C-alpha cells in the first residue's frame, strides 16, 4: 500500500493574527514552488492556529488545511469562553481533541473527549484525537494499558463508520516539548498496538491515519515517518517557524515518493 501522510502543526498559544497570516502565506509559497508537491498529492498539510486567527485565514489558506485546537460539545448556551461547532463552521476542517495539555493542565476527562468527538463528527469536522502515556506510566510498564483505556473510553459508542472518519495521534506525554523523542521503534510499537485496537472496531483499520507527536524535528522526521504504521506527524515547537516545518514536509514528500 502506498503511503499517505498528514503533516500537522499545532501552534498552541502562539502567534498573533498577523503572524498567522504571514506564516500561512509563506508556507503556501514554498509549497507552490516545490516540484515534489506538484508530483504527488499524498501529503496533506494542516495547521492548528489559535482560535483568534481562524477567521483571518479563511480564503488564504490555499493548500494548507486549517484545524481548531479544541471544540466544545454543546452548540450554544452559558459556557463562558467555550467555542461551539457552529462557530467553527467554514473556519476549520479538522479539530484537535484531547491534546495532552488539555488533559493534564485543564483536567479534560475522557468522558468529555468522547462527547467532543461525537459533536465534531456530527458537524463534519475531522477529529484528530491525541492519546499517550506519561513517563510514570511508561516506566511502570503501563503504556499499553493506558493506550487501550484511552482508545476504549474516547471512542465509546462510535460506529465503525464514525471511527473511519478520524485521525489518531500517539503523543507520549514525556516527549512533548521536552526534546525527548520516542525512538522510531518505540513509536512504531505503540502505533502497531493502536492499529490492533482499531481492528476490533472497524474493518478499515488500516486506512485510519495514525500520527506521531512529541519533539518531531527536521533531524528525526525521516526515521519516524518511515515506520510502517506511522502516517504523519503532529508537530508543536518545530511548526512555529516555516523553515523547520517545511523541512519536515519535504522529508514526507521524499518518503511517499519512494
Ligand atoms: P512538540 O509538541 O513537537 O513541541 O513536542 C507536540 C504536540 O504537543 O503536539
Amino acid at each position: 500500500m502506498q503511503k499517505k501522510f498528514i503533516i500537522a502543526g499545532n501552534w498552541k498559544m502562539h502567534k498573533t493574527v498577523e503572524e498567522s497570516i504571514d506564516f500561512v502565506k509563506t508556507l503556501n509559497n514554498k509549497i507552490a514552488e516545490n516540484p515534489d508537491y506538484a508530483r504527488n498529492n499524498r501529503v496533506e498539510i494542516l495547521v492548528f492556529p489559535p482560535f483568534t486567527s481562524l477567521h483571518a485565514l479563511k480564503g488564504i489558506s490555499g493548500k494548507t488545511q486549517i484545524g481548531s485546537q479544541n471544540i466544545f460539545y454543546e452548540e450554544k448556551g452559558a459556557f463562558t469562553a467555550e467555542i461551539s461547532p457552529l462557530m467553527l463552521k467554514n473556519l476549520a476542517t479538522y479539530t484537535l481533541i484531547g491534546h495532552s495539555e488539555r488533559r493534564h493542565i485543564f483536567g479534560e476527562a475522557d468522558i468529555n473527549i468522547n462527547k467532543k468527538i461525537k459533536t465534531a463528527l456530527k458537524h463534519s469536522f475531522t477529529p484528530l484525537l491525541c492519546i499517550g502515556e506519561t513517563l510514570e506510566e511508561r516506566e511502570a510498564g503501563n503504556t499499553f494499558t493506558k493506550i487501550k483505556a484511552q482508545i476504549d473510553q474516547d471512542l465509546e459508542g462510535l460506529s465503525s463508520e464514525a471511527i473511519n472518519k478520524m485521525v489518531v495521534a500517539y503523543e507520549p506525554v514525556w516527549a512533548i516539548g521536552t526534546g525527548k523523542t520516542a525512538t522510531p521503534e518505540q513509536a512504531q510499537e505503540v502505533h502497531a498496538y493502536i492499529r490492533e485496537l482499531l481492528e476490533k472496531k472497524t474493518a478499515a483499520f488500516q486506512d485510519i491515519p495514525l500520527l506521531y507527536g512529541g519533539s518531531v524535528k527536521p533531524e528525526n522526521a525521516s526515521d519516524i515517518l518511515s515506520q510502517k504504521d506511522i502516517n504523519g506527524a503532529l508537530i508543536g515547537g518545530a511548526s512555529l517557524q516555516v523553515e523547520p516545518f517545511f523541512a519536515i514536509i519535504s522529508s514526507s514528500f521524499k518518503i511517499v515518493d519512494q
Side-chain angles (χ1 to χ4, degrees), residues 2 34 54-56 59 64 89 177 196 214 223 236 239:
Q2 270 190 328
N34 195 291
L54 294 180
H55 190 261
T64 307
K89 271 254 133 81
E196 225 177 279
D223 286 346
S239 75

Side-chain angles (χ1 to χ4, degrees), residues 176-231:
I176 297 178
T178 57
K180 283 188 203 154
T181 326
T183 63
E185 295 72 26
Q186 280 174 324
Q188 166 57 28
E189 187 186 30
V190 179
H191 278 238
Y193 181 62
I194 297 170
R195 194 78 77 198
E196 225 177 279
L197 295 172
L198 292 173
E199 188 175 1
K200 301 199 179 85
K201 299 182 187 292
T202 167
F205 65 99
Q206 294 284 15
D207 300 329
I208 297 179
L210 301 183
L211 315 189
Y212 170 79
S215 299
V216 176
K217 303 198 165 26
E219 306 81 63
N220 58 26
S222 276
D223 286 346
I224 290 170
L225 293 171
S226 304
Q227 299 299 309
K228 177 170 165 284
D229 287 296
I230 299 186
N231 310 108

